[in-house]
Amino acid sequence: MKTFDVVLASDFRLPGGTNHSNAQELAIHKELGLTTGLVQCNSRLSARPIPWSTPIIDELDPSSVRPLDVSVPTHARLAILRHPVALEALPDLRSQLDVDHAVIVANQPPERPSGILEYDMPQITSIVEERMGITPTWAPIGPVVREGLEKHAGGAEVAPHDWTNVFASSTVPAPRESFNLQRPRIGRHSRPQKSKWPANTVDILHAYPATDEYDVRILGGTNALDGVLTSIPTNWTVHPFGAMPPQDFLTGIDFWVYFHHHNWLEAYGRAIMEALWSGAVVILPEYLRSTYGDAAIYCEPAEVRHIIDEFRNGARSYLEQSTRGQLFAQAHRPGIHESRLRSFLEQDSSPYEDAPETPSRAIEILQSLPTAKQSLTRRAPRRPRPKALFITSNGSGMGHLTRLLGLARQLADDVEPIFFSMSQGVSVAGLAGFSYEYVPYTSALKTLATNWNSYFRSRLLAAIDHHSPVLVVFDGTWPYRGLIDALDEHPQIRRIWVRRAMWKPDVRSPHLDNTELFDTIIEPGEYARSFDRGATTRLDNAEAVPPMTVLSEDELLPRDEARAALGLSTAPDQHYALVTLGAGNINSITSSQEHVTAVLADIPGWSSVVTKTPIAIGVSPAQLVTLSTFPLSKYTRAFDFAVSAAGYNSFNEWVSGGLPTVWIPNTATMTDDQEARARWAAYVGVGECVREQDAPGVALAVRRMTNDGIRNQYVARLAKLREPNGTRAAADIVTRVLNNG
């Protein structure tokens, strides 16, 4: 008996998206070393005896992808049956083909908007049962199809997850920088069918204006418009269907606009995905919002020009919208198909189920943290120095505290740093030999802000009287009333505000423009600064420095030395992923940690290490290998990649350290725009960006990172981005302020 891993049944003659998707999945089968037998269904979808589609022919391979010989008994582990209408012509294979699982991939709803039934689900289910001897599961390719399947199922089983079309390649799409403001280029490409165009002249010319103010480009011809338009507008450039590759056409398009006949529903248009991947801003009918979310813009044809004008006048950001579309398209990479194949082909047994488990254990390292200059030399006795009070806000993480700790290390030869912090992690200042005092924030004391400010003022005045500092450096979102009142009583003290940028766009504060209260304001740098749309971008009162990290690149341990220090294997074929999703104090991270580590546990040669920060309230699950140390960045090179929140510390440490990362931004922060950082990383191709709620997307991104080729691409790009540690530039600014005092 012959055996195949997969049997694919469809009508391979059809042009367009169906066979492009079939072909892409066949290519993945070959890459995974799977064998696939093809079953042709001579359906009513093509009335002419035409040859197989070119994309299918291109994937034929005698050793891996070939037509099924129905005269020979054959066993297949999975049958993929694509396009329900094609299955009406499914050959009778029951006597010669035995399959373990079968799934019908539905690429269009059973019913058209007009009410005409496209296919009958119970009938198609019966055909498969009669001709293959197995009851299939139905899988829609998107939300529009799912709604139709659930309405017409008639007892047929509908899979809980969509069989999303694989679209994106393993490469990263080229980012868009701008568009033609003077004459925006509107485009579309589709098969030359009447259903692919609006039914009337008014909607067509609203969506694709007949005016020289816009450059309209069409790939797919306009024969379908005969009888609808009396003539083709002179500002339209028309290319026949197949005249050029869509990707070449799309590079010349700013806005990809797609409206169609009211009796047509677009299930999951491949042309739409190609447009999103290209970086063009995509404009679609409202009903497709459930499919594409914020990756596209939705409106009526009459609103197209208004939407484009909003991008022209700056009311909408072209760069941000283009990025959303590209990130959405990138999420439909080949790993999606690999994961669902695994779910079918490994249902009975997993080749990894007998793999030895990594023993769970906790790694705790207490390390000293010399000053920046001492780290490269031996410790020397410190001479008497003027004192500087380093005041930090509490924060949801340790960003404020860590930035000032890095700055204090640079200044320690010239001033004596003393930490006065609202962060429960302030004890890390002791690792560098600095004195510290913890002052609970209002939330910790559970008191009113007015009462807390009075309390904070009194505590700070006592610290000033005791230490007599010449300098105060404050790192916080904005200066507290208690801080300002205390400093007003000591005008002789020089004062500097370290004010982080990257605020969420909708957050405002009247306290930002407090230049007169400080000698200067230092703005810690952001690798993702081009994606900053926050309130600080509208101010010009700060001195910017490169990204500030507690350790510089020359202080990071080499790979083997870092692994040995952590008790990890130094074997070249053993890989480790660092899972560090934040402190978990304002959002629950347990489920995300478990999800990521479960994915990694299924991949041979990979293990995960989960961090527990000094201020984390929760305890990591018992089955995870946990790491507790500060600064964590010292061991960056022990890991092959990270799965991380996108807070200031972690983001700039992993980018500076060249560590490829799957970014899962914490969106529960008050002001910090972690999502913008993560989107930037994905946009420039140095990491993956996924939302915590998108479990399939998280799994896909983690699996992609375990691919050596993909991960090495990220490493190469990261190497080109590195900037010097901004704490050195910040220290120069502090020294200048002190010397000018």
Side-chain angles (χ1 to χ4, degrees), residues 353-377:
E353 64 186 8
D354 295 326
E357 294 184 1
T358 302
S360 61
R361 61 191 179 93
I363 305 170
E364 295 189 14
I365 299 178
L366 182 64
Q367 53 185 309
S368 62
L369 186 63
T371 66
K373 295 177 182 177
Q374 288 174 333
S375 66
L376 301 179
T377 61

Side-chain angles (χ1 to χ4, degrees), residues 358-364 563-569 576 608-610 620-627:
T358 302
S360 61
R361 61 191 179 93
I363 305 170
E364 295 189 14
R563 288 193 174 187
L566 296 177
L568 303 177
S569 171
Y576 292 98
S608 54
V609 176
V610 177
S620 299
Q623 296 304 312
L624 300 181
V625 178
T626 60
L627 169 62

Side-chain angles (χ1 to χ4, degrees), residues 561-731:
E561 189 176 336
R563 288 193 174 187
L566 296 177
L568 303 177
S569 171
T570 58
D573 59 348
Q574 177 60 53
H575 300 287
Y576 292 98
L578 177 68
V579 184
T580 175
L581 296 175
N585 294 338
I586 62 172
N587 66 314
S588 175
I589 61 173
T590 301
S591 61
S592 296
Q593 285 180 344
E594 291 176 339
H595 179 53
V596 170
T597 55
V599 171
L600 286 164
D602 278 342
I603 304 175
W606 282 88
S607 299
S608 54
V609 176
V610 177
T611 62
K612 186 174 186 295
T613 68
I615 64 170
I617 294 173
V619 178
S620 299
Q623 296 304 312
L624 300 181
V625 178
T626 60
L627 169 62
S628 178
T629 188
F630 183 90
L632 177 61
S633 57
K634 181 176 181 178
Y635 305 99
T636 300
R637 293 169 181 154
F639 305 101
D640 296 278
F641 73 90
V643 181
S644 176
Y648 187 91
N649 281 1
S650 53
F651 191 85
N652 291 295
E653 286 174 353
W654 306 150
V655 173
S656 295
L659 184 64
T661 302
V662 175
W663 298 107
I664 304 179
N666 178 2
T667 57
T669 55
M670 182 185 299
T671 60
D672 193 26
D673 196 352
Q674 291 199 17
E675 189 171 6
R677 290 196 190 97
R679 287 192 293 106
W680 172 86
Y683 184 73
V684 299
V686 296
E688 305 265 341
C689 169
V690 286
R691 293 178 180 271
E692 181 183 7
Q693 302 84 352
D694 181 12
V698 171
L700 172 62
V702 170
R703 287 187 181 281
R704 279 178 49 77
M705 275 294 183
T706 63
N707 180 293
D708 292 346
I710 294 173
R711 197 171 61 256
N712 289 338
Q713 289 182 28
Y714 288 142
V715 170
R717 296 189 192 103
L718 282 163
K720 299 177 182 178
L721 288 177
R722 294 175 193 166
E723 298 185 32
N725 188 347
T727 59
R728 296 171 181 171

Side-chain angles (χ1 to χ4, degrees), residues 43 155 179 311 370 372 441 673:
S43 73
F179 70 98
F311 284 100
Y441 187 53
D673 196 352

Side-chain angles (χ1 to χ4, degrees), residues 185 188 311:
R185 298 167 297 183
R188 58 165 284 153
F311 284 100

